[in-house]
Amino acid sequence: MKAQTSYLPFASSDELRGIAKHMDTAEAVPLYYKSPDGDLLEVQTSKGILNSSQGYYVGTVSDGYSLLQNSDMILQVAEAFDALDIKAEGKVVNAYYRVALDVFFPDFTVTEIDHNKPIFMGTRIQNSYNKTSGFRGHGFLHRTWCANGAYATYSLPDMKFSEVHRGDMADRSVEILNGYVKGLDKAQNVIEMVLKTATDYKVFFDAPDQIMVTLGEWAGSKKAGQQIYQHLLKEVPGDELDVSRYDIWNAFTSYASHQDGLSANVRDRINKVAENLLYPQVEAVPVEDWEKFIKPPKTSKAKKEEEIEEAE
């Protein structure tokens, strides 16, 4: 069964609790096999996970796997924010078996120099009950100028956490979130330095078509390159040939945040590409032989000859 992704905004811990009530519920179920004598025997080393809300089988896990309901994860996050007396906003990305929380904290900010607008610090927290994700999280940013979300995994390596589903997940998850929020003050200084470096690092192009080809190569899709180029034009209207890594990063995160029709997996991949652009250690070299990727428009004569060949 293909899960449909929904995006549910929240502006308080109470709203987050309200969303938790609508999450699908999963349950562990025993698995059986038929013995040579024809008897049904229970499997001792593994068990199944059933989405009991939707009525479909999710997958098989080991016997030691501890099921952390997505609803419980969301409730624990809300409780942790309340315990720390911190205001949190964002959205829940609900794929039914896997849930992510894109959270930002309006009280923890860095200033975007170009627009004199705050960028909110935050975190992206994920959980699943089909083994695609344990309880894990990493740094997250929210740009208020355009409402872009962005990952901050490389720049804040100490803020990453990842827990397998074993033992008492409830107690560990609250403890982890408490430690994360307490580290935000130090993280603000790191993000300011990373964004300033990216702003100073220029990427020079020779033509608009070269930009589209290059963005497509980086994004892994020609169509995505064309669409990201349109987002870039909004960032640097009138001078897209002279841009910084910061400008291109914003174009990628704008595409991942606002482009219609993208799956959660594609948004995740684009956000990872975007974060690479913030670091000088990662090459950001325009495609040199970009002209060969640009097909000249067909003349009416060429189109007619093509139609005749197809008819034959």
Side-chain angles (χ1 to χ4, degrees):
M1 177 176 179
K2 185 177 179 181
Q4 300 297 313
T5 303
S6 58
Y7 301 87
L8 310 169
F10 65 91
S12 68
S13 296
D14 284 340
E15 290 185 9
L16 199 50
R17 291 186 184 92
I19 292 173
K21 296 177 181 178
H22 300 286
M23 295 294 103
D24 282 0
T25 300
E27 63 178 296
V29 294
L31 300 177
Y32 297 91
Y33 68 96
K34 183 176 287 188
S35 72
D37 297 330
D39 298 326
L40 282 180
L41 302 177
E42 185 175 343
V43 178
Q44 299 299 314
T45 57
S46 59
K47 56 190 175 185
I49 299 296
L50 178 73
N51 182 321
S52 50
S53 298
Q54 305 273 351
Y56 66 88
Y57 186 73
V58 175
T60 303
V61 297
S62 68
D63 187 56
Y65 182 88
S66 295
L67 182 62
L68 176 61
Q69 300 286 351
N70 290 330
S71 58
D72 288 342
M73 183 272 284
I74 294 174
L75 289 174
Q76 290 163 22
V77 169
E79 292 298 326
F81 292 157
D82 282 347
L84 290 164
D85 193 25
I86 185 171
K87 180 176 174 55
E89 302 177 18
K91 65 183 175 184
V92 175
V93 183
N94 179 27
Y96 298 96
Y97 56 84
R98 182 177 61 189
V99 164
L101 273 66
D102 291 344
V103 184
F104 57 86
F105 309 111
D107 294 333
F108 293 85
T109 67
V110 296
T111 301
E112 184 176 13
I113 298 174
D114 288 351
H115 302 290
N116 195 31
K117 293 283 187 178
I119 295 177
F120 295 152
M121 303 290 294
T123 180
R124 187 171 211 264
I125 304 168
Q126 298 181 83
N127 183 67
S128 78
Y129 47 75
N130 72 338
K131 299 192 298 184
T132 57
S133 174
F135 177 71
R136 59 187 174 125
H138 57 72
F140 185 79
L141 305 175
H142 178 80
R143 187 184 179 213
T144 60
W145 172 254
C146 55
N148 291 358
Y151 292 1
T153 55
Y154 306 139
S155 50
L156 300 174
D158 295 338
M159 304 290 280
K160 290 195 293 186
F161 59 85
S162 180
E163 291 286 315
V164 296
H165 284 199
R166 290 184 179 276
D168 190 349
M169 285 298 303
D171 288 344
R172 296 211 310 278
S173 61
V174 173
E175 180 183 346
I176 290 167
L177 289 170
N178 286 345
Y180 184 93
V181 172
K182 289 176 180 177
L184 285 172
D185 282 329
K186 180 181 177 182
Q188 287 173 277
N189 298 327
V190 175
I191 292 298
E192 284 181 347
M193 181 179 65
V194 168
L195 296 183
K196 183 181 184 306
T197 301
T199 301
D200 295 338
Y201 198 111
K202 294 291 186 178
V203 181
F204 298 100
F205 295 96
D206 296 323
D209 282 342
Q210 184 187 28
I211 300 175
M212 281 187 279
V213 169
T214 300
L215 297 180
E217 285 290 297
W218 294 347
S221 162
K222 180 179 179 181
K223 180 180 179 181
Q226 295 169 343
Q227 293 172 329
I228 294 169
Y229 175 70
Q230 296 303 317
H231 289 269
L232 180 64
L233 292 180
K234 297 176 183 177
E235 288 293 327
V236 286
D239 196 12
E240 71 272 24
L241 299 182
D242 180 16
V243 295
S244 68
R245 283 181 180 244
Y246 182 74
D247 296 323
I248 303 173
W249 170 71
N250 276 322
F252 269 82
T253 57
S254 176
Y255 172 76
S257 298
H258 305 298
Q259 190 70 38
D260 293 334
L262 300 184
S263 68
N265 287 336
V266 170
R267 293 184 197 277
D268 183 61
R269 178 173 58 80
I270 294 296
N271 272 308
K272 290 177 180 177
V273 173
E275 190 177 7
N276 282 332
L277 292 165
L278 291 179
Y279 300 96
Q281 296 89 339
V282 179
E283 288 190 348
V285 180
V287 175
E288 294 183 358
D289 55 348
W290 55 272
E291 292 95 338
K292 73 178 185 181
F293 294 93
I294 305 298
K295 293 182 178 180
K298 294 180 180 179
T299 63
S300 57
K301 181 179 179 181
K303 288 180 180 179
K304 186 173 182 179
E305 291 175 347
E306 189 176 84
E307 290 172 357
I308 293 174
E309 289 177 357
E310 290 178 353
E312 292 175 348

